[in-house]
Amino acid sequence: MTITFTTKSYADITMLHDIGEAMLEMMDFGKLIPGAIATKDVHQALTNLQKNLANENCKEDQDKEEDDDQQPSVALGTRAMPLLELLKSAKDNDNNVSWR
């Protein structure tokens, strides 16, 4: 299953359900699917996501030091880049963001 994030000013972003759900939680806008963020709240969602990704990167760095034998995985911050760009575009162009 997937989650697709949409705004008028940027291409749709589709993520696997578990990653998309994690992004919604990091934006502090719950896990309801479908859902939306009003134009006035997009800036806060972007700020929340950036802050929570920074915290997550610190945890990943600590875990990486402990488990050097494991296969490298794609960092959550890397997976979030397209969504961050979508949120920035929505904020700059006064658009809502929705997901389904």
Side-chain angles (χ1 to χ4, degrees), residues 17-98:
H17 191 267
D18 58 336
I19 299 299
E21 201 171 68
M23 297 297 157
L24 289 172
E25 287 180 21
M26 288 181 162
M27 288 189 289
D28 294 332
F29 277 86
K31 295 192 306 187
L32 290 178
I33 301 168
I37 302 171
T39 302
K40 65 181 178 63
D41 296 324
V42 170
H43 176 73
Q44 187 61 51
L46 176 60
T47 301
N48 292 345
L49 182 57
Q50 289 170 327
K51 176 187 72 166
N52 288 320
L53 284 169
N55 292 339
E56 189 66 30
N57 284 340
C58 290
K59 289 181 201 174
E60 287 177 357
D61 288 343
Q62 290 173 352
D63 292 344
K64 191 184 293 182
E65 290 173 8
E66 295 172 6
D67 292 331
D68 286 336
D69 296 336
Q70 288 187 352
Q71 288 281 359
S73 62
V74 178
L76 205 51
T78 302
R79 293 178 190 258
M81 293 306 288
L83 182 58
L84 288 166
E85 293 300 317
L86 180 142
L87 290 169
K88 288 175 188 173
S89 179
K91 181 185 77 134
D92 292 345
N93 293 287
D94 295 324
N95 295 136
N96 297 325
V97 174
S98 63

Side-chain angles (χ1 to χ4, degrees), residues 2-30:
T2 61
I3 298 175
T4 301
F5 295 89
T6 306
T7 191
K8 288 182 182 178
S9 59
Y10 201 83
D12 292 355
I13 302 299
T14 301
M15 297 181 164
L16 294 175
H17 191 267
D18 58 336
I19 299 299
E21 201 171 68
M23 297 297 157
L24 289 172
E25 287 180 21
M26 288 181 162
M27 288 189 289
D28 294 332
F29 277 86

